[in-house]
Amino acid sequence: MIAIELGKQNAYDTINKEKIKQIIELASKQKSQLGLAMAYYILGREYTIDQDDSLSYSYLTKAEKIFTAGNDTTGIIHCSKLLRSHTRRADKNLPKFYFDRVVALGQKSKYPIDNYMYYLLIMACDPYFEPQPTESQIAQTLNKTIKMIDMYPRFEYIRANVYKNIQEGYLRKQRHEKVLEFALKVMHHTNKKIDFMDYQYLGNAYLSVKKYDLAVVALEEAGKRIEIERPMALMRRRNIYFFLKKAYYEAGNLKASIQTDETYDSLVSVIRDNDRSVALFHLREKYSFADKEAVLKRLALEKEIADSQKRLLFGGLIMTLVLVGIILFFSIKLQRTNAELLHLQQARDRFYTIIAHDLRSPMNSLNDMGALLHHLISEGKKQELDKVIQQIENMRQQTHLLLNNLFEWGKSQYFINESGAQPGTFDAAVSLQTLCNHYLPFAEAKGVSLALALPSSLPLKADQKGFETAVRNLLDNALKHTPTGGKITVSGRSSEEGTPNHSIMIADTGEGIAPGQLKYLQQVFSCKTKPEVGVKGLGLGMILVYNFAKKNKIKLQIMSESGVGSSFSIVWKS
């Protein structure tokens, strides 16, 4: 099983993660440290391709520890080579440590595959080499590697990787014609299955020699292929679109360049991990400042009234009437200020109530899991530990959504009835596709099917960020209440299908909603009842969904049956 999955990676194909789980289970039962290390290494490589640094780093360090304990030189070298690139942005000492280890072990090893990993560093002109390899040294190392591949036919799969690494070396040498030469060799002189990365390398090479039309063709193909081969590799998709918009621009196709730039920006916004805790702190400071400002206004008005009363003692009868009028004026103004202060205090209290209500559950769970993790680690129960880690990841996702909700709630100032963002027209189908791609790994981890059935276009005039926040909450709610083996369906209908309206439905086969709570939600969605946090389990997320629909004049519908599932529909005029 290890050989099959490793062979898939060497052929640049996607591995079967269910098979990897079986390998880990079998290795644990048989107490095979090598089997366990290889499973972790394969997972680490897979997530490296998808540029999921946190998961990749976690699995590679696990594999490296086992290989080091067993003094497995090949395993240590391969893990160190990948870890070197993972740590170069986070720590200046770790990358040098891993580089030195690959060099030392790769030079001394009697195994050709270990020597090959050292040769790759030379051909790529790794920045830690002092002095840098010369072009003559690069060519000599290439010849050594090709001879090794010819001598050992089982190493044929590494030929493409050799050509890719030498492209990096020549790129650092500013030898762009050599970069293109080896990019074309990958395409035409290897037995590998050509994938999106090969087309991306080729497109970049054409860009460097200013063959912009050819660069456009290659990068367009890379963009098409990554959607099929690696739909979750958002960072790699972003990189492809970055170079594609440049190629369009240089080729004179400004319209395509602008459209590609918009796609690039949307990927950047999905990837960016905003620090919600800082935003929450600023919100709290903002409303604390508003409270203080109102108190100061009230004190200032009270002082003015006191001064007016002193002047009345020295005035005459005529001035008395005037001063009474002034007192009445300031009294009314003071009452208004007090009313504003009371309103701000109520808003603040409601804001803190929301935070306490929605943070209580994940914080309690984290408190319980701290002790449980310590127990599982000390007992060496790895299978149970993986399940707890998955639960923590799910809680992290839910807490991230909660902080995002709090940020959007405070920024839009729904709870003090101020106007929101101006609506614009966008394609809801594209937004839904992006959001479902984001939730797909969490659904797979839980064993829930996430299906998508959308028309080609669903134009919607509304606040796009509010729409995406609402859909995130509905998807999160569906995922939370759908058990393993269940299904979540995101579907849409356009007015072209014989209906007067556009609509989106998010349905699940979960536990359903209790009749009393369902009736309350239906009254809220039909605007017959004002939503309140905590009433019949109503959370902040559902209030944001309601506020989005109300502000953008969109209908919300809900159907549910206990034990069967629930469906939420968003309906708007075409």
Side-chain angles (χ1 to χ4, degrees):
M1 289 175 70
I2 289 172
I4 290 170
E5 297 308 317
L6 190 60
K8 285 183 179 180
Q9 281 192 326
N10 291 337
Y12 295 83
D13 199 1
T14 306
I15 65 165
N16 186 330
K17 292 188 175 66
E18 290 301 317
K19 293 291 185 184
I20 297 298
K21 289 180 182 178
Q22 291 181 33
I23 292 171
I24 292 173
E25 290 174 2
L26 289 170
S28 300
K29 288 179 182 177
Q30 300 172 10
K31 297 181 180 179
S32 170
Q33 291 295 308
L34 180 59
L36 199 60
M38 285 303 299
Y40 289 147
Y41 170 69
I42 292 171
L43 283 171
R45 282 182 67 184
E46 183 72 3
Y47 286 114
T48 297
I49 295 171
D50 283 343
Q51 292 188 323
D52 191 328
D53 288 345
S54 58
L55 281 175
S56 178
Y57 183 81
S58 173
Y59 283 116
L60 287 171
T61 50
K62 287 180 183 179
E64 181 218 16
K65 287 178 182 178
I66 299 174
F67 286 135
T68 302
N71 198 26
D72 188 322
T73 303
T74 302
I76 295 170
I77 289 176
H78 278 69
C79 287
S80 297
K81 177 76 164 53
L82 292 174
L83 285 169
R84 179 226 173 284
S85 61
H86 278 303
T87 55
R88 62 188 174 192
R89 291 191 299 271
D91 187 297
K92 63 181 179 180
N93 297 317
L94 273 177
K96 184 66 165 62
F97 165 78
Y98 288 123
F99 168 83
D100 290 339
R101 188 152 68 162
V102 174
V103 170
L105 295 176
Q107 284 179 311
K108 296 177 184 178
S109 179
K110 62 182 179 180
Y111 299 110
I113 195 66
D114 295 349
N115 307 143
Y116 151 74
M117 297 299 284
Y118 166 61
Y119 294 157
L120 286 183
L121 296 178
I122 297 175
M123 288 185 286
C125 292
D126 193 286
Y128 283 103
F129 274 117
E130 293 180 359
Q132 281 283 290
T134 64
E135 289 192 35
S136 175
Q137 289 172 322
I138 294 173
Q140 290 173 7
T141 306
L142 174 63
N143 289 333
K144 287 182 185 178
T145 311
I146 296 301
K147 285 180 181 178
M148 183 189 76
I149 295 172
D150 293 338
M151 186 179 299
Y152 302 98
R154 67 180 183 276
F155 291 153
E156 180 60 33
Y157 73 90
I158 69 176
R159 189 184 298 271
N161 202 31
V162 170
Y163 291 158
K164 283 187 177 180
N165 276 267
I166 204 168
Q167 287 179 61
E168 295 181 21
Y170 281 123
L171 190 61
R172 289 191 171 98
K173 299 290 185 184
Q174 299 294 307
R175 292 292 305 278
H176 299 298
E177 72 285 357
K178 298 292 286 184
V179 175
L180 178 58
E181 175 188 341
F182 284 97
L184 289 170
K185 280 190 175 185
V186 172
M187 306 293 289
H188 304 299
H189 298 287
T190 62
N191 64 356
K192 79 177 290 289
K193 174 185 174 183
I194 303 302
D195 61 13
F196 73 92
M197 290 180 65
D198 302 317
Y199 280 102
Q200 182 183 353
Y201 272 71
L202 181 62
N204 292 349
Y206 278 131
L207 265 177
S208 65
V209 296
K210 301 181 180 181
K211 294 184 178 182
Y212 301 123
D213 290 336
L214 293 174
V216 166
V217 173
L219 290 169
E220 282 181 343
E221 184 64 21
K224 292 176 185 176
R225 285 175 176 259
I226 195 172
E227 295 284 349
I228 301 170
E229 297 165 2
R230 293 280 174 175
M232 299 308 299
L234 298 180
M235 293 179 70
R236 291 193 183 276
R237 284 171 61 195
R238 178 199 64 184
N239 294 340
I240 289 172
Y241 283 111
F242 174 81
F243 290 108
L244 181 56
K245 70 176 182 178
K246 181 179 179 182
Y248 277 134
Y249 177 82
E250 296 293 349
N253 192 341
L254 298 182
K255 182 178 179 181
S257 179
I258 292 170
Q259 290 175 343
T260 306
D261 188 56
E262 290 174 353
T263 305
Y264 170 81
D265 286 342
S266 67
L267 287 169
V268 169
S269 66
V270 172
I271 294 167
R272 184 182 301 117
D273 185 11
N274 291 324
D275 189 349
R276 301 300 183 188
S277 60
V278 174
L280 183 61
F281 170 79
H282 286 310
L283 279 173
R284 187 179 298 167
E285 287 295 300
K286 173 182 177 181
Y287 291 105
S288 174
F289 176 80
D291 286 348
K292 292 175 183 176
E293 187 178 35
V295 170
L296 290 174
K297 285 182 178 180
R298 185 182 66 185
L299 291 174
L301 287 171
E302 289 176 347
K303 186 176 183 301
E304 286 187 40
I305 292 172
D307 291 341
S308 298
Q309 290 172 339
K310 288 180 182 179
R311 287 195 293 270
L312 284 173
L313 297 175
F314 304 99
L317 183 59
I318 298 175
M319 291 298 297
T320 300
L321 295 174
V322 176
L323 291 174
V324 167
I326 293 174
I327 292 172
L328 289 173
F329 169 76
F330 282 115
S331 295
I332 294 171
K333 192 172 182 180
L334 179 59
Q335 288 176 357
R336 290 178 179 173
T337 302
N338 284 334
E340 290 176 3
L341 175 60
L342 179 61
H343 183 65
L344 286 171
Q345 288 173 335
Q346 290 173 342
R348 178 202 62 192
D349 293 342
R350 194 183 310 174
F351 185 66
Y352 292 156
T353 300
I354 291 166
I355 296 173
H357 177 268
D358 284 350
L359 280 178
R360 180 175 55 195
S361 176
M363 291 307 297
N364 287 340
S365 298
L366 284 175
N367 288 336
D368 295 339
M369 285 187 179
L372 180 58
L373 278 173
H374 179 74
H375 171 72
L376 293 177
I377 292 171
S378 63
E379 292 292 324
K381 296 181 178 180
K382 295 181 179 179
Q383 187 173 0
E384 290 83 352
L385 187 60
D386 286 339
K387 291 180 180 178
V388 173
I389 290 172
Q390 184 59 50
Q391 291 173 359
I392 292 174
E393 173 60 19
N394 290 338
M395 279 191 294
R396 183 198 70 77
Q397 172 67 12
Q398 292 171 7
T399 306
H400 181 272
L401 178 63
L402 166 61
L403 292 177
N404 187 53
N405 283 344
L406 290 171
F407 178 70
E408 296 299 329
W409 175 264
K411 186 177 69 172
S412 60
Q413 298 180 336
Y414 284 127
F415 58 93
I416 57 174
N417 298 320
E418 291 191 10
S419 59
Q422 293 299 319
T425 301
F426 65 97
D427 192 343
V430 175
S431 293
L432 284 169
Q433 180 71 56
T434 302
L435 290 170
C436 287
N437 286 342
H438 174 76
Y439 273 86
L440 185 59
F442 297 102
E444 290 176 347
K446 190 177 179 181
V448 174
S449 171
L450 178 57
L452 204 62
L454 297 173
S456 59
S457 178
L458 280 173
L460 170 58
K461 184 176 182 181
D463 172 18
Q464 183 174 359
K465 199 163 188 179
F467 169 77
E468 291 175 353
T469 299
V471 173
R472 277 179 183 271
N473 278 285
L474 293 176
L475 284 172
D476 186 73
N477 197 50
L479 188 59
K480 188 187 302 180
H481 295 288
T482 302
T484 300
K487 183 176 182 180
I488 299 171
T489 304
V490 179
S491 59
R493 293 187 67 186
S494 69
S495 58
E496 296 174 356
E497 298 175 12
T499 61
N501 300 317
H502 295 310
S503 64
I504 295 165
M505 177 183 288
I506 298 175
D508 62 68
T509 59
E511 58 196 34
I513 302 172
Q517 187 183 19
L518 176 62
K519 183 177 180 182
Y520 174 73
L521 278 173
Q522 288 172 336
Q523 288 177 338
V524 168
F525 286 177
S526 61
C527 298
K528 294 179 181 179
T529 300
K530 184 178 180 182
E532 295 291 341
V533 172
V535 177
K536 298 191 178 181
L538 190 61
L540 172 60
M542 202 56 67
I543 294 181
L544 283 173
V545 174
Y546 165 81
N547 281 329
F548 160 74
K550 184 177 180 182
K551 281 181 174 285
N552 292 278
K553 298 179 180 179
I554 290 173
K555 287 185 179 180
L556 284 174
Q557 298 171 354
I558 177 172
M559 291 187 295
S560 182
E561 184 177 344
S562 294
V564 177
S566 306
S567 67
F568 290 82
S569 296
I570 300 173
V571 183
W572 68 95
K573 293 181 180 179
S574 60

